Amino acid sequence: MINRRDLLKWSAVAPVLLGGSAASFRKLPEGVDALVLDTRHVRRGLAGPMVHAFDGDVTQLWFETLDPLWRRPGFVLGGITGADALFVLKRLAWDRGRRVVSRSQLPARHGSGTGPLSWVIAPVHPSVKV
């Protein structure tokens, strides 16, 4: 489970990710096993071994990556997405014993409406923890 200290680290990383710095991907926040980025809100071209990008539709990411990972115990996922993608991931996570344990609104890029959300989805039941 993510503790308060790790969540504060995550909150510090999120604004850097929105700025698109490749250096920010050298180390994920402690306690986060992978990062999901919605390229509608974060620049393209950012990559890392446990960074998964998608363009609004999480279907392929779910079937190919997240579902197999969430079938194993203890996998914690962080992300920066729109509210629509988080809604879908939140529903899928429920079936795998995970919940959104952190969620915060980020500023919109160039003042364009509502900004993305940074969030963490983690196991919430002892049977799915490491």
Side-chain angles (χ1 to χ4, degrees), residues 63-78:
F63 281 113
E64 294 178 3
T65 306
L66 297 180
D67 186 45
L69 290 171
W70 281 351
R71 288 179 183 270
R72 296 184 286 179
F75 193 83
V76 177
L77 182 68

Side-chain angles (χ1 to χ4, degrees), residues 9-68:
K9 286 181 189 177
W10 173 249
S11 298
V13 169
V16 175
L17 295 175
L18 284 175
S21 169
S24 63
F25 290 101
R26 291 197 182 117
K27 186 172 186 232
L28 294 176
E30 189 175 325
V32 175
D33 297 309
L35 190 61
V36 170
L37 301 174
D38 187 338
T39 57
R40 297 175 302 168
H41 301 286
V42 181
R43 291 185 201 169
R44 290 186 180 275
L46 301 174
M50 291 305 288
V51 176
H52 306 284
F54 68 95
D55 191 18
D57 181 4
V58 298
T59 306
Q60 183 176 1
L61 177 66
W62 168 249
F63 281 113
E64 294 178 3
T65 306
L66 297 180
D67 186 45

Side-chain angles (χ1 to χ4, degrees), residues 71-116:
R71 288 179 183 270
R72 296 184 286 179
F75 193 83
V76 177
L77 182 68
I80 297 176
T81 66
D84 54 347
L86 177 57
F87 175 81
V88 172
L89 290 170
K90 184 169 58 171
R91 294 289 132 222
L92 296 170
W94 184 270
D95 292 336
R96 297 292 176 253
R98 285 148 173 78
R99 305 292 182 270
V100 175
V101 296
S102 169
R103 174 184 169 162
S104 58
Q105 185 76 45
L106 299 173
R109 290 172 68 182
H110 311 302
S112 59
T114 306

